[in-house]
Amino acid sequence: MEGSPERHSKKKVVAVVGGGLVGALNACFFAKRGFDVEVFETREDIRQAKIVKGRSINLALSHRGRQALKHVGMEEKIVSQGIPMHARMIHSLSGKQSPIPYGKKGQYILSVDRANLNKELLTEAETYPNTKLNFDHKLQDWSAETGLMTFVRPDGSTEEVEADLIVGCDGAFSAIRKQFLRRSRFNYSQTYIPHGYMELTMPPINEEFAMKPNYLHIWPRNTFMMIALPNMDKTFTLTFSLLRDYFRLPAQAMVSVKCSPYHIGDKCVLMGDAAHAVVPFYGQGMNAGFEDCIVFDEIMDRFSEDFNAVLPEYTRVRVPDDHAIADLAMYNYIEMRAHVNSKWFLFRKHVDNFLHFLMPRAVIPLYTMVTFTRTRYHEAVERWHWQDKVIHFEKMRFLIGTVLHCVMWPVLMASALMVR
């Protein structure tokens, strides 16, 4: 940028492409380390925008995301602006409401407003004197060899910027990732689910919530579902998942993206949806993206901020975890619209929670590991499968023992009578 070479010669420059949730949080992480940080966002500054474009779907903030926010001193502020949800509230066809607790007493996830959270993170990033936010800057091209980027402004003029590290946080349809696709040995896949989503708003009744506020409400209907999360203004944001258009309006698509590696040399790394967009059914998309920031920061500590060592290690550590949560989100896509109606599903939830109560270290429910700990996602899945095998083995052993008891008891009684 004009007038910046002298400043940049003193410190390494980190360019964060994308000023959404993960990009804004990343800016705080890098600025806190003392790097000169430049954030580039295609859209206008949402803090000044009359209408915020893009998704407004509510988000569920849990432990992983909170830990990342805590690292930059933002946890308490964001938590104070969220609404605790202690359980799922299942709405049956008959109108019956049945809560399914998320974890132990006192454990909850938080319903937070996406736009407000993004605004808070941008404002926090701007408090660092070594951070500059650049809005209305659309990435046109960039070089993985030199770190040179070209941006287009609204008036059609271009601007060239050079950075020591480019951090791609520009979403599921990342412009940064396009360069990765041109390179050999880059694995990439995307999957659209058949359902789209639309948003509705449930207004308050007599200035109070129309339903119990401290729950994530679900209307599971097998082939479709509706979800409602509470807002601070006493409304609910409802996400309606459907196969066909609702009142002929286009539904928003939901995509799952997997790729590997997450880096190119020591010049560029992908984070958040740019690396691993997930469908929203485990409530971990934002949390996984925020955890990317803290994992990268931890690796920076281990390798003394040497990008040449940090970036490949980040790929090695993070890819299996992000692929695991993408798969879990797909699994929960079926669970939330169908399995929660199953008596067997509810029974297993009670069994898992009971065993966790009896043996808190030996048996930990999958949801607890994912939502209330920082157990690595892929390790949580592996442990879940192991626990499932053990529980099924014990169940079969119990059934076999019961059958043998029923069969052998009459035989033993008959034998005893004959002896007498």
Side-chain angles (χ1 to χ4, degrees), residues 6 13 29 34 47 86 96 116 153 192 207 220 227 244 304 323 336 349 387 397-398:
E6 280 188 20
V13 181
F29 270 86
R47 295 169 298 177
H86 298 276
K96 181 184 177 184
N116 180 67
R153 299 189 186 100
Y192 283 93
E207 300 183 356
I227 306 169
R244 294 185 180 180
S304 304
H323 286 190
M336 288 180 73
K349 282 284 183 186
Q387 289 177 174
R397 193 169 71 164
F398 173 76

Side-chain angles (χ1 to χ4, degrees), residues 60-71 75 79 107-110 282-284 286-288 290-291 294 298 367-377:
L61 177 65
S62 55
H63 180 75
R64 296 170 198 269
R66 289 180 63 162
Q67 288 299 299
L69 291 169
K70 182 179 181 179
H71 192 82
E75 183 188 18
V79 168
Q107 288 183 322
Y108 58 87
I109 59 178
L110 278 158
Y282 218 114
Q284 286 295 305
M286 171 185 66
N287 292 288
F290 281 6
E291 191 176 46
I294 199 168
E298 289 164 351
Y367 193 88
T368 297
M369 287 187 281
V370 169
T371 308
F372 300 117
T373 78
R374 276 197 62 205
T375 301
R376 292 184 61 183
Y377 287 125

Side-chain angles (χ1 to χ4, degrees), residues 158-179:
T158 61
E159 182 176 0
E160 289 193 341
V161 181
E162 191 171 343
D164 297 287
L165 177 66
I166 300 170
V167 186
C169 301
D170 51 341
F173 305 101
S174 168
I176 289 289
R177 198 178 59 225
K178 288 179 182 177
Q179 284 279 11

Side-chain angles (χ1 to χ4, degrees), residues 54-56 192-199 239-242 245 249-255:
R55 294 175 297 174
S56 60
Y192 283 93
I193 62 172
H195 288 73
Y197 77 89
M198 299 190 73
E199 288 192 2
T239 306
F240 187 39
S241 160
L242 65 165
D245 291 352
L249 292 174
Q252 299 296 310
M254 287 180 276
V255 66

Side-chain angles (χ1 to χ4, degrees), residues 75-95:
E75 183 188 18
E76 288 186 15
K77 186 171 189 177
I78 300 305
V79 168
S80 71
Q81 298 171 359
I83 297 178
M85 298 182 293
H86 298 276
R88 295 171 174 171
M89 183 66 81
I90 309 302
H91 295 249
S92 70
L93 278 168
S94 66

Side-chain angles (χ1 to χ4, degrees), residues 44-338:
E44 63 181 316
D45 187 342
I46 62 171
R47 295 169 298 177
Q48 273 79 55
K50 292 181 180 178
I51 299 175
V52 179
K53 297 178 181 178
R55 294 175 297 174
S56 60
I57 185 171
N58 279 49
L59 300 164
L61 177 65
S62 55
H63 180 75
R64 296 170 198 269
R66 289 180 63 162
Q67 288 299 299
L69 291 169
K70 182 179 181 179
H71 192 82
V72 295
M74 288 290 288
E75 183 188 18
E76 288 186 15
K77 186 171 189 177
I78 300 305
V79 168
S80 71
Q81 298 171 359
I83 297 178
M85 298 182 293
H86 298 276
R88 295 171 174 171
M89 183 66 81
I90 309 302
H91 295 249
S92 70
L93 278 168
S94 66
K96 181 184 177 184
Q97 298 183 27
S98 307
I100 304 177
Y102 281 125
K104 295 182 291 187
K105 186 176 181 181
Q107 288 183 322
Y108 58 87
I109 59 178
L110 278 158
S111 174
V112 295
D113 177 82
R114 174 190 289 272
N116 180 67
L117 176 56
N118 202 167
K119 291 174 185 177
E120 292 285 6
L121 289 172
L122 287 170
T123 299
E124 179 66 19
E126 217 165 29
T127 63
Y128 292 90
N130 49 326
T131 296
K132 183 181 178 184
L133 305 183
N134 304 277
F135 298 99
D136 295 309
H137 277 62
K138 184 177 182 180
L139 182 69
Q140 186 181 66
D141 199 11
W142 67 279
S143 168
E145 284 66 45
T146 65
L148 186 67
M149 298 167 288
T150 303
F151 293 94
V152 180
R153 299 189 186 100
D155 61 6
S157 63
T158 61
E159 182 176 0
E160 289 193 341
V161 181
E162 191 171 343
D164 297 287
L165 177 66
I166 300 170
V167 186
C169 301
D170 51 341
F173 305 101
S174 168
I176 289 289
R177 198 178 59 225
K178 288 179 182 177
Q179 284 279 11
F180 283 67
L181 292 166
R182 297 172 190 164
R183 306 177 78 90
S184 64
R185 300 179 186 272
F186 179 66
N187 301 303
Y188 174 81
S189 68
Q190 67 178 37
T191 304
Y192 283 93
I193 62 172
H195 288 73
Y197 77 89
M198 299 190 73
E199 288 192 2
L200 309 170
T201 298
M202 182 182 291
I205 297 175
N206 298 325
E207 300 183 356
E208 288 297 330
F209 285 104
M211 302 182 295
K212 294 178 180 179
N214 296 115
Y215 297 91
L216 189 152
H217 294 263
I218 305 176
W219 290 260
R221 298 297 183 261
N222 295 312
T223 57
F224 65 94
M225 67 176 171
M226 188 164 69
I227 306 169
L229 280 78
N231 297 307
M232 295 292 283
D233 63 1
K234 305 292 179 72
T235 65
F236 279 90
T237 299
L238 284 75
T239 306
F240 187 39
S241 160
L242 65 165
L243 284 169
R244 294 185 180 180
D245 291 352
Y246 179 71
F247 293 149
R248 297 182 179 275
L249 292 174
Q252 299 296 310
M254 287 180 276
V255 66
S256 178
V257 171
K258 290 181 180 179
C259 67
S260 175
Y262 287 167
H263 73 286
I264 295 177
D266 65 349
K267 284 292 184 188
C268 184
V269 64
L270 300 174
M271 294 194 200
D273 283 357
H276 51 82
V278 300
V279 293
F281 301 107
Y282 218 114
Q284 286 295 305
M286 171 185 66
N287 292 288
F290 281 6
E291 191 176 46
D292 287 347
C293 301
I294 199 168
V295 168
F296 192 86
D297 193 71
E298 289 164 351
I299 295 172
M300 290 274 276
D301 281 338
R302 285 169 47 206
F303 291 93
S304 304
E305 299 182 356
D306 177 4
F307 294 152
N308 200 45
V310 169
L311 270 60
E313 177 67 3
Y314 174 75
T315 284
R316 186 191 72 80
V317 168
R318 200 61 181 153
V319 166
D321 291 330
D322 291 333
H323 286 190
I325 193 57
D327 292 338
L328 279 178
M330 281 293 193
Y331 170 81
N332 235 36
Y333 159 56
I334 298 168
E335 178 176 293
M336 288 180 73
R337 64 184 167 87

